[in-house]
Amino acid sequence: FMSLISSISLIGLALAGHSAEEWKSRNIYQLLTDRFARNDGSTSGCSNLGNYCGGGFVGLMNNLDYIQNMGFDAIWISPIVKNTPGGYHGYWAEDFYEINSHFGTEQDFVNLITEMHKRDMWVMVDVVANHIGPIGTSLNKVGEINPFNQKSYYHSYCSINWSNQWSIENCWLADLPDLDQSNDFVRKGLLDWISNLVTKYNVDGIRIDTCEEVPKWFWSQFNDAAGVFTICEVDNGSIDLNAGYQGSVDATLNYPLFWLIKNLFQNGQSFYNAVNFMQQEKNSFKDITVLGNFVDNHDNARFLHNYVKYNRFKNALAFSVTWPGIPIVYYGDEQGYAGGNDPNNREILWPNLGNTDSEMYQFVSKIIHFRKEMELWKYDFVDRYHADNFYCFSRGKALMAFSNTDSNIHYTVSYHPYKVGDVICNIFYAADCVTVTTEGVPVYLDQGEVKLYKPK
């Protein structure tokens, strides 16, 4: 009888992957496995960010409190497969069925996921099905690739012409051998691999690299084989282009929002742009509430790079976390990292693992906990007030107010979700409360502040 119970619980584990609907409530912390925490706990520097620095699964497992205490309940980690030399980031597959030993052993990975699940934290594994590691354009070393070990499994070499969709899907990104998904062995091999990876390791969701470079019909099959939430990278600011992938996969990373945030909070563009943007996204996407909202990631210079304005950075982060979608915060943002283009935006975090009192760590913690406490994902977005330098929207009884000017501004928001006499408080300063009057909600933002309000 006991063995029956244990086999049933194992079946339960195997089916624990989570759907897009379930992911809506999650808050994702994105990291590079090699850069978060060293397995041996050492905290010395790393002289070359273009190669391995020593982070891994054990280091991450030993420092989950750092992430969880900010309120995050999901972690996006680097691709886990064995890479060609120098593939610290995980995107240069060599053996799809072996774990990258630089990160640790397979057992280390299993232990990490077990510990995360004990804490009700979900794992999102980054995966690549477009290309392999750089083994040369002649493909002479293709025999070293498992399981795609023949030249016929790849498109013939050409470099991508970004204005041509056929070229984007068939040519090679940065001289990386491009898998031919129309080849039956490749198609089946990739589908078997993702199905196996998700089931074997009890993965909760996957982030898919380079989606635009592979035809949609394949992603549809890949999505079905994975059987969990799939979020795709379409590295383009076009709403229509991104929206075209939703359906083949559950969601895309919200690159259009990434560029909007830059325009609003770095370039000082009018908030009227946000109003139009919301309308366009709603008209184009099947479901905007599952898109991945981010300010920073590993492929772009950080927000603070050459733009050291913390007031704008705080606005940007709060905007991305409270806007409809699933928030993704890139590691290091909570320590005010300001690295430039890759690999300088892939800094080591371990010197700061003890630095949980920092201003940005506390700020990120407040906005993530706010999203969870107010259960923002359950409520529709309502535009309450917009001006060139002031923007206010609500979701449920949460009211968000943003500014992109260093001047002190004051607005009375007459269209709001409260009753006259209600008292609402700004989460960043407990004493900063206002009473709703017959005129509305008086909002004062000084020197580029952001305020998030909830009922007292």
Side-chain angles (χ1 to χ4, degrees):
F1 174 73
M2 280 317 286
S3 67
L4 177 66
I5 293 286
S6 63
S7 65
I8 288 171
S9 66
L10 277 176
I11 292 167
L13 271 179
L15 302 174
H18 294 284
S19 67
E21 191 59 39
E22 294 173 290
W23 271 87
K24 288 180 181 181
S25 66
R26 293 279 146 165
N27 306 271
I28 303 170
Y29 184 80
Q30 178 201 352
L31 54 80
L32 268 73
T33 306
D34 181 63
R35 301 294 149 93
F36 181 73
R38 286 205 178 113
N39 291 335
D40 64 6
S42 67
T43 55
S44 56
C46 181
S47 56
N48 177 14
L49 292 179
N51 208 332
Y52 287 97
C53 289
F57 302 132
V58 173
L60 174 52
M61 186 174 76
N62 290 339
N63 289 280
L64 289 173
D65 284 353
Y66 174 92
I67 300 171
Q68 192 173 25
N69 289 346
M70 281 183 279
F72 293 104
D73 40 26
I75 305 174
W76 155 7
I77 63 171
S78 303
I80 60 171
V81 302
K82 181 183 179 184
N83 269 226
T84 58
Y88 71 89
H89 40 65
Y91 298 109
W92 292 351
E94 178 176 288
D95 189 335
F96 283 73
Y97 282 96
E98 206 176 305
I99 296 280
N100 187 333
S101 61
H102 289 271
F103 298 160
T105 64
E106 182 175 48
Q107 191 58 48
D108 292 337
F109 181 55
V110 169
N111 293 347
L112 167 65
I113 293 183
T114 303
E115 179 57 32
M116 284 179 64
H117 286 164
K118 266 190 209 155
R119 295 166 175 251
D120 186 33
M121 296 175 85
W122 294 354
V123 65
M124 173 175 279
V125 175
D126 203 332
V127 298
V128 188
N130 171 62
H131 58 264
I132 58 159
I135 57 168
T137 52
S138 65
L139 289 178
N140 288 336
K141 292 186 186 165
V142 75
E144 296 169 15
I145 306 299
N146 180 38
F148 308 112
N149 57 5
Q150 293 180 31
K151 291 185 182 182
S152 60
Y153 297 152
Y154 300 86
H155 291 125
S156 22
Y157 176 75
C158 49
S159 63
I160 293 179
N161 164 11
W162 290 101
S163 56
N164 178 298
Q165 191 58 34
W166 183 92
S167 175
I168 292 171
E169 291 178 4
N170 289 274
C171 293
W172 293 24
L173 175 72
D175 285 352
L176 299 170
D178 200 74
L179 287 161
D180 179 3
Q181 289 78 11
S182 68
N183 176 295
D184 239 25
F185 179 85
V186 174
R187 182 180 65 82
K188 288 190 181 129
L190 289 169
L191 299 181
D192 287 348
W193 166 69
I194 196 59
S195 170
N196 176 281
L197 183 142
V198 167
T199 310
K200 181 177 184 183
Y201 299 119
N202 196 14
V203 168
D204 301 288
I206 57 172
R207 179 266 186 186
I208 306 173
D209 189 64
T210 46
C211 279
E212 202 192 341
E213 287 81 346
V214 179
K216 291 175 187 144
W217 65 259
F218 174 76
W219 291 132
S220 187
Q221 295 183 15
F222 194 80
N223 179 74
D224 292 346
V228 292
F229 177 56
T230 51
I231 189 163
C232 238
E233 177 211 24
V234 180
D235 186 354
N236 194 300
S238 160
I239 289 175
D240 287 342
L241 185 73
N242 273 270
Y245 287 82
Q246 194 173 43
S248 305
V249 291
D250 291 322
T252 62
L253 295 166
N254 204 341
Y255 259 103
L257 185 74
F258 167 79
W259 291 108
L260 175 77
I261 286 172
K262 272 202 174 335
N263 286 334
L264 296 177
F265 299 111
Q266 283 188 336
N267 304 332
Q269 287 189 7
S270 168
F271 280 113
Y272 282 89
N273 289 296
V275 181
N276 299 333
F277 179 90
M278 173 54 85
Q279 209 43 59
Q280 287 175 300
E281 281 217 326
K282 274 186 169 164
N283 290 342
S284 299
F285 283 98
K286 294 179 178 72
D287 183 1
I288 61 170
T289 67
V290 291
L291 303 181
N293 298 346
F294 63 97
V295 172
D296 280 328
N297 67 18
H298 57 306
D299 290 325
N300 294 275
R302 290 183 184 264
F303 185 96
L304 290 171
H305 180 68
N306 292 340
Y307 190 82
V308 190
K309 287 182 78 75
Y310 280 86
N311 54 356
R312 297 287 192 279
F313 186 43
K314 288 176 177 176
N315 269 276
L317 286 170
F319 192 89
S320 71
V321 166
T322 57
W323 191 263
I326 300 169
I328 303 173
V329 176
Y330 186 46
Y331 87 103
D333 275 5
E334 77 284 356
Q335 297 297 347
Y337 280 13
N341 289 326
D342 159 17
N344 299 321
N345 55 357
R346 301 171 176 189
E347 307 96 324
I348 54 171
L349 191 78
W350 45 81
N352 285 294
L353 281 169
N355 197 8
T356 54
D357 293 327
S358 70
E359 183 186 353
M360 286 311 304
Y361 184 96
Q362 292 297 320
F363 180 85
V364 169
S365 181
K366 284 194 172 93
I367 59 178
I368 296 294
H369 282 105
F370 175 75
R371 181 178 186 267
K372 291 166 76 171
E373 182 193 341
M374 303 303 287
E375 299 187 308
L376 295 188
W377 58 91
K378 292 184 176 174
Y379 300 98
D380 285 341
F381 168 98
V382 182
D383 186 330
R384 296 294 180 178
Y385 199 117
H386 49 266
D388 285 335
N389 296 122
F390 175 74
Y391 192 48
C392 183
F393 61 81
S394 70
R395 296 177 72 187
K397 291 280 190 267
L399 188 75
M400 287 56 95
F402 304 92
S403 62
N404 63 358
T405 172
D406 292 335
S407 308
N408 295 352
I409 56 178
H410 167 224
Y411 287 88
T412 301
V413 179
S414 56
Y415 175 49
H416 57 76
Y418 309 113
K419 296 192 298 290
V420 173
D422 283 354
V423 177
I424 62 172
C425 299
N426 166 22
I427 67 165
F428 302 115
Y429 299 100
D432 180 13
C433 299
V434 294
T435 302
V436 181
T437 69
T438 49
E439 273 85 60
V441 180
V443 179
Y444 293 85
L445 299 180
D446 289 353
Q447 296 166 350
E449 270 184 304
V450 52
K451 291 186 180 182
L452 305 180
Y453 289 101
K454 64 182 188 187
K456 187 169 183 176

